[in-house]
């Protein structure tokens, strides 16, 4: 009886308690707490989310970046004691079953501070959810997505963009539903269409997150060394082509101000694509948190921290190390670079006859060097030898080669991208492998040996990659349905911005690549984390078409980008 009276009193005073806050209200429709929108503290819908890791209740660590490579992901925030959230158990299980074959991942998240693991497990024993469950102990996942209520859904597409946030539908009573917000948003994302309702107020119970812990001191051994090891040491080592090593505390302390300056400007690690334009494999980009830690560490006089051993990444000059395993075909090229002043650039062109008696499908190409101080990058193409005509003096001219296809662009210290199984570059019978080796002067005559390794596709009827060339202010239209696997901008893009979108027949704009003008000449081939599907009739366009078509634009001839795609 006493418990019943207490419940009645709670219901009577609830509106007063809630209205005392500014973020929530109790509308007549739901008769439960509903959040108010907008909230300036929230993560806006349309944001390209940075990666974050989380742990499911069985103890498996997963990451958002890896999760969305399979397809869209839905995070639904729940609470063990929220009666509104409990009403959605069957609806969530049906949604999981309906969209599982479309590679959609649904994850339940319990972020309330007062929901213990035992409480959650006790409720799950009754709910029998078939999808993964996360106990967001420190509230980091809730803060990352901007969660405030239970139940509340957050839909993230395969590019990592937050596409919908809000309730699962518009009524806690299933017989009164008029709008299935989450389902409609998911169908739109899967069909490549705009989401009809991107955000609407969630209703149910508020989330109470634990207080964030006070930031402890940032030290080299605990925070900075792991960042440098993961992102910098493959180039910044004794035998690397970077101007200085970053293998020890003394190295980092000496160059601390420069590290902070270059990371804040996002010039290092070298990664040119702008965040939000294409989701690429092997992305070399520091998170905002990592950059903030480096800045704080430098500002607080670079404390060393406790003695923790970090094994630095060093080059292997005595043995070849192939990142993708032993290649199917290997050849060696002696390199001989004349003495050039420090910083001056040069290049050598090599045309290697492959000698294959049939066409081969190449899935990946890798290179190995003993000395990485000179070589700055290698571009690999294939083509055939053209006829040689005598010169006016009667001698023979240097033979020329056609460039019939693009294989890769490679930089020492960067893992080579491999195409997925069943996709490959068609290397025709009798084709030459054409390598352009870019090098930088060290002030000395340099010699080296370059090993080239090819990996062939083992899949019968491998899908062949084709090249779409987008030049200056032109457009490129696809006549058939295609899957785009990679973007390869020309080397001259450092002089101005290159921003490219795909426009589908229904008018949807898909960001493909955006590279800002800079003084660095770092170039690369960028493989999408998940191939981008474009229906027949889609076209590629530069965003700044008018400026590029302007004849007075001296840099227009530098604006070239290649896209690698298959017809199936």
């Amino acid at each position: 009886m006493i418990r019943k009276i207490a419940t009645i009193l709670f219901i009577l005073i609830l509106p007063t308690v809630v209205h005392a806050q500014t973020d929530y209200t109790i509308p007549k429709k739901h008769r439960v707490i509903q959040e108010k929108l907008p909230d300036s503290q929230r993560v806006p819908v349309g944001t390209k989310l940075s990666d974050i890791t989380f742990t499911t209740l069985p103890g498996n660590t997963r990451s958002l970046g890896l999760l969305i490579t399979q397809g869209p992901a839905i995070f639904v925030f729940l609470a063990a004691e929220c009666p509104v959230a409990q009403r959605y158990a069957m609806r969530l299980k049906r949604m999981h079953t309906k969209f599982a074959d479309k590679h959609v991942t649904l994850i339940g998240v319990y972020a309330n501070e007062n929901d213990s693991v035992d409480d959650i497990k006790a409720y799950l024993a009754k709910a029998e959810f078939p999808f993964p469950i996360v106990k967001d102990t420190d509230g980091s996942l809730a803060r990352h997505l901007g969660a405030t209520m239970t139940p509340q859904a957050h839909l993230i597409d395969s590019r990592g963009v937050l596409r919908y946030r809000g309730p699962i539908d518009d009524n806690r009573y299933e017989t009164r539903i008029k709008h299935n917000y989450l389902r409609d948003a998911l169908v739109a994302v899967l069909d490549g269409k705009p989401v009809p309702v991107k955000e609407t107020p969630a209703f149910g119970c508020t989330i109470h997150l634990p207080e964030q812990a006070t930031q402890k001191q940032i030290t080299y051994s605990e925070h900075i060394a792991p960042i440098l090891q993961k992102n910098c040491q493959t180039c910044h080592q004794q035998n690397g082509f970077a101007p200085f090593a970053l293998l020890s505390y003394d190295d980092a302390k000496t160059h601390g101000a420069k590290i902070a300056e270059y990371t804040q400007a996002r010039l290092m690690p070298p990664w040119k694509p702008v965040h939000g334009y294409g989701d690429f494999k092997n992305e070399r980009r520091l998170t905002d948190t990592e950059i903030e830690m480096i800045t704080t560490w430098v500002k607080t006089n670079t404390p060393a921290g406790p003695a923790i051993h970090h094994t630095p990444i060093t080059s292997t000059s005595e043995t070849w190390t192939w990142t993708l395993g032993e290649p199917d075909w290997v050849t060696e090229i002696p390199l001989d670079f004349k003495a050039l002043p420090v910083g001056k650039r040069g290049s050598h062109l090599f045309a290697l006859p492959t000698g294959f008696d049939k066409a081969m499908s190449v899935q990946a190409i890798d290179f190995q060097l003993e000395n990485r101080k000179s070589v700055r990058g290698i571009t690999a193409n294939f083509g055939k030898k053209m006829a040689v005509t005598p010169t006016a003096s009667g001698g023979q001219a240097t033979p020329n080669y056609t460039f019939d296809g693009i294989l890769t662009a490679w930089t020492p210290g960067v893992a080579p991208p491999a195409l997925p199984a069943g996709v490959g570059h068609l290397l025709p019978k009798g084709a030459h492998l054409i390598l352009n080796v870019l090098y930088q002067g060290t002030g000395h005559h340099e010699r080296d040996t370059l090993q080239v390794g090819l990996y062939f596709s083992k899949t019968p009827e491998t899908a062949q990659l084709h090249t779409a060339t987008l030049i200056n202010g032109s457009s490129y239209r696809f006549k058939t349905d295609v899957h785009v696997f990679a973007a390869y901008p020309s080397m001259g893009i450092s002089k101005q911005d290159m921003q490219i979108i795909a426009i589908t027949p229904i008018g949807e704009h898909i960001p493909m690549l955006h590279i800002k003008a800079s003084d660095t000449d770092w170039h690369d081939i960028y493989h999408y984390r998940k191939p981008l599907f474009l229906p027949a009739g889609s076209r590629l366009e530069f965003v700044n078409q008018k400026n590029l078509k302007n004849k007075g634009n001296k840099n227009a001839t530098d604006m070239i980008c290649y896209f690698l795609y298959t017809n199936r």
Side-chain angles (χ1 to χ4, degrees), residues 52 77 109-113 135-147 207-212:
I52 187 172
F77 285 81
V109 184
Y110 288 79
N112 263 326
E113 184 179 20
K135 169 54 179 168
D136 190 19
T137 305
D138 60 359
S140 58
L141 190 55
R143 293 186 177 97
H144 194 71
L145 300 177
I207 294 178
H208 302 281
L209 300 178
E211 294 292 332
Q212 290 181 292

Side-chain angles (χ1 to χ4, degrees), residues 213-455:
T214 303
Q215 178 64 54
K216 65 178 183 178
Q217 185 185 47
I218 303 298
T219 66
Y220 171 79
S221 60
E222 295 174 287
H223 306 95
I224 306 304
I227 296 175
L228 299 182
Q229 184 176 39
K230 176 185 175 184
N231 300 282
C232 309
Q233 289 181 357
T234 51
C235 296
H236 288 268
Q237 54 179 277
Q238 300 300 335
N239 203 30
F241 72 83
F244 52 83
L246 288 175
L247 302 179
S248 67
Y249 168 72
D250 289 337
D251 292 338
K253 182 178 180 179
T254 300
H255 301 286
K258 186 172 291 186
I259 296 171
E261 176 188 352
Y262 275 69
T263 54
Q264 284 179 340
R266 291 199 176 275
L267 296 176
M268 288 291 161
W271 181 258
K272 286 195 168 186
V274 174
H275 194 56
Y277 270 75
D279 185 18
F280 299 102
K281 297 178 181 178
N282 302 326
E283 186 174 273
R284 301 184 299 276
R285 188 194 306 276
L286 297 184
T287 65
D288 292 340
T289 301
E290 289 171 329
I291 293 174
E292 184 180 351
M293 283 196 293
I294 292 172
T295 303
T296 302
W297 179 67
V298 173
K299 286 182 177 179
T300 54
N301 298 318
T302 61
I308 301 175
H309 179 68
H310 297 280
T311 303
I313 299 173
T314 56
S315 61
T316 52
S317 57
E318 297 182 359
T319 58
W320 301 105
T321 302
W322 298 100
T323 307
L324 304 176
E326 194 66 25
D328 299 306
W329 179 85
V330 178
T331 190
E332 289 189 6
I333 307 172
L335 301 179
D336 195 328
F337 303 130
K338 64 181 182 181
L340 290 178
V342 175
K344 189 173 182 179
R345 308 290 165 77
S347 66
H348 277 316
L349 190 69
F350 298 91
L352 310 177
T354 55
F356 302 137
D357 57 3
K358 63 179 181 178
M360 305 293 289
S361 290
V362 178
Q363 193 171 358
I365 181 171
D366 196 4
F367 304 93
Q368 291 296 335
L369 292 162
E370 292 182 350
N371 177 8
R372 296 184 175 184
K373 281 189 174 295
S374 298
V375 174
R376 189 166 181 83
I378 300 173
T379 58
N381 305 282
F382 59 88
K384 56 181 178 290
K385 187 175 181 179
M386 298 177 65
V388 178
T389 56
T391 63
S393 60
Q396 283 194 333
T398 302
N400 292 321
Y401 297 86
T402 62
F403 290 85
D404 299 331
I406 296 168
L407 287 175
T408 195
W410 177 84
T411 302
V414 177
L419 293 166
V423 179
H425 304 271
L426 182 64
L427 192 64
K429 175 183 176 181
H432 283 71
L433 190 62
I434 303 171
L435 307 179
N436 188 20
V437 180
L438 313 174
Y439 64 96
Q440 61 184 5
T442 63
H444 305 284
H445 185 187
E446 300 283 353
R447 290 185 175 88
D448 202 348
T449 300
L450 173 68
Q451 280 201 345
V452 185
L454 297 182
Y455 299 82

Side-chain angles (χ1 to χ4, degrees), residues 163-174:
R163 299 290 299 276
Y164 171 78
R165 175 173 47 220
I168 297 164
D169 50 47
D170 66 344
N171 207 297
R172 56 178 165 155
Y173 300 108
E174 196 165 3

Side-chain angles (χ1 to χ4, degrees), residues 20-320:
Q21 305 176 38
T22 58
D23 297 331
Y24 305 97
T25 184
I26 298 184
K28 292 182 179 180
K29 175 181 178 179
H30 298 303
R31 297 187 182 278
V32 293
I33 299 173
Q34 176 180 290
E35 62 176 350
K36 288 183 177 180
L37 291 178
D39 182 351
S40 60
Q41 302 300 316
R42 293 272 288 275
V43 179
V45 173
T47 298
K48 177 72 161 58
L49 299 168
S50 57
D51 199 6
I52 187 172
T53 58
F54 50 89
T55 305
T56 58
L57 278 184
N60 299 320
T61 300
R62 307 183 71 173
S63 73
L64 175 62
L66 187 59
L67 192 68
I68 59 176
T69 60
Q70 306 168 25
I74 302 171
F75 291 85
V76 179
F77 285 81
L78 303 167
E81 297 182 358
C82 177
V84 180
Q86 292 174 5
R87 282 186 173 273
Y88 281 84
M90 288 303 300
R91 276 175 264 187
L92 289 173
K93 289 194 283 188
R94 287 197 298 267
M95 174 167 279
H96 168 79
T97 302
K98 181 176 180 179
F99 291 98
D101 62 343
K102 298 184 182 297
H103 306 291
V104 175
T105 304
L106 195 154
I107 293 180
V109 184
Y110 288 79
N112 263 326
E113 184 179 20
N114 58 342
D115 274 345
S116 68
V117 172
D118 289 339
D119 291 339
I120 297 169
K121 287 183 176 179
Y123 176 71
L124 294 179
K126 297 180 291 183
E128 298 181 335
F129 286 139
F131 43 82
I133 298 297
V134 173
K135 169 54 179 168
D136 190 19
T137 305
D138 60 359
S140 58
L141 190 55
R143 293 186 177 97
H144 194 71
L145 300 177
T148 60
M149 301 287 294
T150 62
Q152 186 182 54
H154 299 70
L155 170 61
I156 303 165
D157 67 16
S158 57
R159 298 196 297 272
V161 177
L162 180 62
R163 299 290 299 276
Y164 171 78
R165 175 173 47 220
I168 297 164
D169 50 47
D170 66 344
N171 207 297
R172 56 178 165 155
Y173 300 108
E174 196 165 3
T175 56
R176 303 177 187 177
I177 295 174
K178 294 182 179 179
H179 301 285
N180 286 285
Y181 297 121
L182 177 59
R183 184 197 64 189
D184 295 345
L186 180 57
V187 170
V189 168
L190 292 173
D191 292 343
K193 298 178 180 179
V195 173
V197 177
K198 297 180 180 179
E199 185 169 22
T200 190
F203 56 89
C205 308
T206 58
I207 294 178
H208 302 281
L209 300 178
E211 294 292 332
Q212 290 181 292
T214 303
Q215 178 64 54
K216 65 178 183 178
Q217 185 185 47
I218 303 298
T219 66
Y220 171 79
S221 60
E222 295 174 287
H223 306 95
I224 306 304
I227 296 175
L228 299 182
Q229 184 176 39
K230 176 185 175 184
N231 300 282
C232 309
Q233 289 181 357
T234 51
C235 296
H236 288 268
Q237 54 179 277
Q238 300 300 335
N239 203 30
F241 72 83
F244 52 83
L246 288 175
L247 302 179
S248 67
Y249 168 72
D250 289 337
D251 292 338
K253 182 178 180 179
T254 300
H255 301 286
K258 186 172 291 186
I259 296 171
E261 176 188 352
Y262 275 69
T263 54
Q264 284 179 340
R266 291 199 176 275
L267 296 176
M268 288 291 161
W271 181 258
K272 286 195 168 186
V274 174
H275 194 56
Y277 270 75
D279 185 18
F280 299 102
K281 297 178 181 178
N282 302 326
E283 186 174 273
R284 301 184 299 276
R285 188 194 306 276
L286 297 184
T287 65
D288 292 340
T289 301
E290 289 171 329
I291 293 174
E292 184 180 351
M293 283 196 293
I294 292 172
T295 303
T296 302
W297 179 67
V298 173
K299 286 182 177 179
T300 54
N301 298 318
T302 61
I308 301 175
H309 179 68
H310 297 280
T311 303
I313 299 173
T314 56
S315 61
T316 52
S317 57
E318 297 182 359
T319 58
W320 301 105

